[in-house]
Amino acid sequence: FRFKDSLAEELQSADLVISHAGAGSCLETLEKGKPLIVVINDKLMDNHQLELAKQLHRDGYVLYCNCSTLVETLQSMNLSALKPFPPGQPEKFASFLDKVFGLQ
Amino acid sequence: TGGHTTEILRLLSCLSESYSPRHYVLADSDKMSEAKIRSFEQKRAETFSESQFSLDRIPRSREVRQSWSSSVVTTMYSILYSLPLTYKRKPDLILCNGPGTCVPVCLSAFLLGLLRIKRTIIVYVESICRVETLSLSGKILYYFSDYFIVQWPDLKKKYPKSVYLGRIV
């Protein structure tokens, strides 16, 4: 398909996700608890996008490769070594703001 | 825009009704954010019936990869456009997280503060995508915000005046 408003349905039923390094894609997938392989496009060098993918890989949440190493990665991957991704904590932000405004 | 809107709505998700009314400022070219915001506020109104919000649009201050020199001009135009809006709303708090749209709004509020017209607290939360480097908005607003929040420890080391609370979206 071309563009859909939301891939939530597909994500829900997937066993493995292979994605580009976009933050939205990565985070949405990790939050649904799906194993993720991030494929870096070496030619798109605008790459602050890479920062997040690299960090997620360093922390053990995703696998990481480029287009030419994708097949090899798929063949040798160990998905059970991936760590579960803990959710963010907006309540810490709320707490912080409350302190700033003396609302606590 | 897109990811920024999703992130900011998550930031808002745990705030109490003291943070009301909420005035959202969007770029005029942003098509998708309005729907997300209305959906968020609708859900919120189910719990907090007195909930109030509004939406304003301003010209986009900079397109992706727009040149430096033309960016200065378009940003100044956006600041002029934002001034009456910020003056009208006189917010106690401005919360932003990185799209170019937020720079003129914050600078206009900063200006109104200097002129002793309204003192607004400016809180900037850098996007979760920013692990090692700040966005351009972040680099600018690091100097103009009251609280500058980063979500990864490397940034806290590089920008010591920032606040690190871990991942908050």
Side-chain angles (χ1 to χ4, degrees):
Chain A
F1 41 65
R2 295 279 295 150
F3 291 105
K4 285 178 108 177
D5 282 337
S6 162
L7 287 171
E9 266 177 51
E10 280 77 6
L11 257 189
Q12 202 52 48
S13 50
D15 294 311
L16 168 66
V17 176
I18 302 170
S19 166
H20 76 142
S25 313
C26 291
L27 294 174
E28 218 185 313
T29 306
L30 287 174
E31 284 166 0
K32 287 226 157 36
K34 302 294 177 177
L36 172 60
I37 301 178
V38 177
V39 184
I40 309 293
N41 183 342
D42 307 12
K43 297 178 191 80
L44 251 192
M45 271 321 286
D46 162 0
N47 262 312
H48 79 256
Q49 242 194 23
L50 272 192
E51 285 181 26
L52 181 61
K54 268 195 230 157
Q55 186 64 42
L56 292 174
H57 172 68
R58 255 181 249 138
D59 289 342
Y61 300 122
V62 305
L63 291 178
Y64 174 88
C65 66
N66 56 39
C67 300
S68 41
T69 54
L70 179 56
V71 174
E72 179 193 316
T73 307
L74 284 170
Q75 286 166 338
S76 61
M77 67 189 181
N78 175 13
L79 295 178
S80 55
L82 291 178
K83 296 198 198 135
F85 185 70
Q89 296 175 284
E91 60 274 14
K92 286 200 175 153
F93 174 69
S95 196
F96 173 80
L97 269 194
D98 285 346
K99 283 198 200 98
V100 167
F101 287 98
L103 292 171
Q104 274 209 337
Chain B
T1 51
H4 289 291
T5 304
T6 305
E7 282 202 46
I8 209 154
L9 292 177
R10 289 190 186 193
L11 287 173
L12 295 182
S13 62
C14 295
L15 295 185
S16 72
E17 261 316 274
S18 305
Y19 300 90
S20 202
R22 287 170 292 283
H23 304 291
Y24 295 89
V25 180
L26 287 74
D28 49 12
S29 49
D30 185 343
K31 308 262 188 291
M32 292 181 43
S33 297
E34 181 163 347
K36 288 187 191 168
I37 292 168
R38 290 196 184 279
S39 166
F40 170 84
E41 287 289 341
Q42 203 169 36
K43 211 157 160 255
R44 198 178 168 95
E46 286 165 22
T47 320
F48 304 105
S49 52
E50 294 300 304
S51 212
Q52 283 184 295
F53 76 102
S54 72
L55 283 163
D56 288 301
R57 288 192 180 267
I58 59 173
R60 192 164 172 151
S61 40
R62 181 177 174 261
E63 299 300 327
V64 180
R65 293 195 230 284
Q66 185 180 332
S67 77
W68 246 112
S69 46
S70 71
S71 294
V72 174
V73 176
T74 54
T75 302
M76 283 189 356
Y77 174 65
S78 298
I79 296 175
L80 283 179
Y81 198 98
S82 308
L83 264 172
L85 173 62
T86 312
Y87 181 77
K88 172 172 128 187
R89 301 285 185 208
K90 295 204 183 64
D92 299 306
L93 163 68
I94 289 182
L95 177 60
C96 55
N97 68 341
T101 320
C102 69
V103 175
V105 176
C106 290
L107 292 181
S108 66
F110 187 79
L111 196 53
L112 291 179
L114 286 180
L115 296 172
R116 301 269 187 271
I117 294 174
K118 171 72 186 180
R119 173 76 173 92
T120 301
I121 294 193
I122 300 174
V123 175
Y124 182 93
V125 182
E126 186 61 286
S127 167
I128 188 146
C129 305
R130 294 300 190 157
V131 179
E132 290 162 24
T133 62
L134 288 190
S135 61
L136 180 56
S137 304
K139 286 180 190 159
I140 297 169
L141 291 175
Y142 182 64
Y143 300 100
F144 294 97
S145 55
D146 293 284
Y147 298 95
F148 189 91
I149 300 177
V150 296
Q151 301 193 55
W152 296 93
D154 267 355
L155 285 177
K156 170 67 186 169
K157 282 193 213 126
K158 288 182 187 156
Y159 298 93
K161 287 194 282 177
S162 66
V163 174
Y164 173 66
L165 301 169
R167 253 191 298 127
I168 49 177
V169 299

